[in-house]
Amino acid sequence: MRKKKIALNELLNLIPEEYLENLSEQTGVDYQVKKLTGKLVFKLLLYGLSSQKELSWRILETIFSSYKFKNYAQIPPDSLADHSSLATRISNIKIDFFKSIHQSLNKEILLRFDTPRIGGYKVVRFDSTLVSIAGTLLKKVTAMHHGVNNKYRKIGDSVDLKFTIGFDGLSPVIADVFGQQSYMSWEIA
């Protein structure tokens, strides 16, 4: 089965510029931000994800500096952003902005395409992934533990988070993060 490719401009045309600007105001994503607006960060991430196999802060800096991206994002040619500024902005940006864009895109896609049906039912598939990370990185997050008895556990030992995504055949329709010990079971999550 061949996959149909879609141009970045076609994808962005599903999201009008006015919508992104109104959404920026509604979510307050650009509060006290002059240069790296929510709309610009969204375009940078979308451009990066569609043009690169892997992304890093340095790759995003290189993309931001390229003439092609500046032309695409309609920003002045002398605009610059270093990797640490990009990292700080993306780390602190309001997630509701991206969540609203995702919901809007899902509505638009559902209007344009039929979701696949299996046996007459609209099936949503779920996949969960367990991610282990150093406990020192997740100080304020409730997380799961496995492999070590709790009385032998030390501060900084790895903790686990479970990410679950629901997919309807066209796009992700639900995403959740679980940190409570009861969600260690795959059936519950």
Side-chain angles (χ1 to χ4, degrees), residues 115-129:
T115 54
R117 294 186 176 271
I118 299 171
Y121 296 98
K122 182 179 172 184
V123 177
V124 177
R125 295 169 186 91
F126 286 89
D127 183 38
S128 293
T129 300

Side-chain angles (χ1 to χ4, degrees), residues 93-135:
I93 199 163
K94 290 186 176 187
I95 201 72
D96 289 341
F97 178 71
F98 296 109
K99 187 177 178 181
S100 297
I101 292 172
H102 179 263
Q103 290 170 343
S104 175
L105 268 176
N106 269 348
K107 286 179 188 172
E108 188 65 33
I109 287 170
L110 287 174
L111 289 174
R112 293 175 184 234
F113 304 101
D114 290 332
T115 54
R117 294 186 176 271
I118 299 171
Y121 296 98
K122 182 179 172 184
V123 177
V124 177
R125 295 169 186 91
F126 286 89
D127 183 38
S128 293
T129 300
L130 190 66
V131 177
S132 292
I133 192 164

